[in-house]
Amino acid sequence: MSDSTPPSLFSVVPAGVFGPLASANREHYWLLLHRLFDEFFGPDAPMPPSHGLPRREITAAIERYLVADDPWEDEDGQGPDTPPGIRAHGIYERFRNAGWLRQERIGAREMVAMPPAVSQLLSTLVEFAEHGPTFVSAKVRSIELQMQQVVDGAGAGDALDEAADQARRLLVSLASMSLQVRDLMPELSRAETTAQFARQWFEQYVSRFFIGDYAGLHRADHPLARRSSILAMVQQVETGPRHEALRAWYREHLAGGDDARAALRLGRSLRRLRELERIDEYLGRLDDDIRQANRRALAFLDYRLRAPDRLDILLRRACCGVLTAPAEALRLPVAPGALMDETRLRPPRTRPQPIPRSANAAQVPTPEQLARLSLLRRMKRARLVTAEDMARYVGHHLGEADSVDSARMRVASIEDLRAYQTLLTLALRSQRIGGLRRDDPLSRLLRGFRVELLDSAEPLDNGVLRAPRFVVRRLAPASRTPA
């Protein structure tokens, strides 16, 4: 199976498992499943026997739920007036036919259990329904610790696979957060009073829908600033000696002995971890959506505070007064005569005639001025470093190697000097707290490589500059940032 092929859902769970949750009584079916999961089959329930629970206990629990809360609608010929015992057996059969429950006969007894795949699906649905704000710092710390175990050799492929899944869930959560912020404003705008709008704004918009640690995302000590170390560990796993061991683990545990599938699964896990480079894009879009939501909320509050109180009541009273007023009171307060007459109209506005303008005399530059202008352009071009100039300079010195030290870089012209200075600036800025900022204009020059400063090395004097030493490292093809 290729990496782009979607996994088959109904080869894991029964085909009709979503039938009860798509019926008219879906809310009640969901409540019953949740209660059965909590009482009998979930992690908070007592340990069930290995052969299951008696059927009469499950039907008795369903009947007890129906007696306590019974606002069901008529469905499949069983309305709310049907006895609870009959309806409980009908609901049980509905769950068993849909695949939520599995019944086995042991001797003369009918024992009931919940299949593991269905139990895991229900646990995932409950977790999704109870989903709260996302804490980016905890997820990034967990990914970093798991990758450190993989690099140190203390963790096998399961730690790498779990780290890749957490990275994917983190990006999906950030991507859906912007849509939640945009969908929240129409819901809040339906508030009847200004106080209700302000209360919902601070209770829902700030506390429930935001990222839990959104206020600290841009701090220097936030774990998000250490994602470069995670990417470095991913690069080390991909090119280091641990790669073959992890591939063997994937082949034995996840690919059924197929080496090609193991390589695909391992490559997918590493690619998901490298997608953490794109987290700045998601955060930037989220910042824009939040700023727009703030402007809309402030405009709405300003309108509510400036608008007259009980405006609808005043308009209704005015309409009633007009309908009940005598005809004499409704006369327009105007003078006698024609209301629409050409003498009452404003005369047309006449535009003044434009001042005739004469063209400036063209002056031909002298050869000396042209030569100075050409020299000035060449000077500016020699000092300008583009992405192509940087790629040419780095590629000339990097060659086929994976890294090159600044001591081996030659400075033979003004163009080489400017490229060397730009690389030195990138190395110094990457050592700042928080790393190279995403809005830094020099970041677009990094195409296929990165620059690291050597803190412990002595300053280098190449005859032109005396500056700290740095190293230019080549990036893997899949991890290069598109231009």
Side-chain angles (χ1 to χ4, degrees), residues 284-338:
R285 187 177 67 178
L286 180 60
D287 291 341
D288 295 338
D289 292 334
I290 289 176
R291 282 193 292 268
Q292 182 179 1
N294 286 333
R295 288 194 296 267
R296 293 182 60 183
L298 291 176
F300 185 83
L301 287 174
D302 183 70
Y303 168 77
R304 284 293 186 90
L305 294 176
R306 291 177 180 271
D309 190 17
R310 298 180 300 173
L311 182 60
D312 53 344
I313 299 177
L314 297 178
L315 291 177
R316 191 180 301 110
R317 289 179 180 177
C319 293
C320 294
V322 170
L323 293 176
T324 57
E328 295 79 7
L330 298 178
R331 292 184 57 189
L332 294 177
V334 296

Side-chain angles (χ1 to χ4, degrees), residues 211 213-225 227 279-280 282-288 290-291 433-434 437-438:
I211 300 176
D213 52 350
Y214 176 77
L217 284 181
H218 302 285
R219 294 187 306 179
D221 58 343
H222 195 274
L224 190 60
R227 66 183 180 276
I279 199 170
D280 288 336
Y282 292 99
L283 292 179
R285 187 177 67 178
L286 180 60
D287 291 341
D288 295 338
I290 289 176
R291 282 193 292 268
I433 297 178
R437 296 190 178 93
R438 61 189 177 191

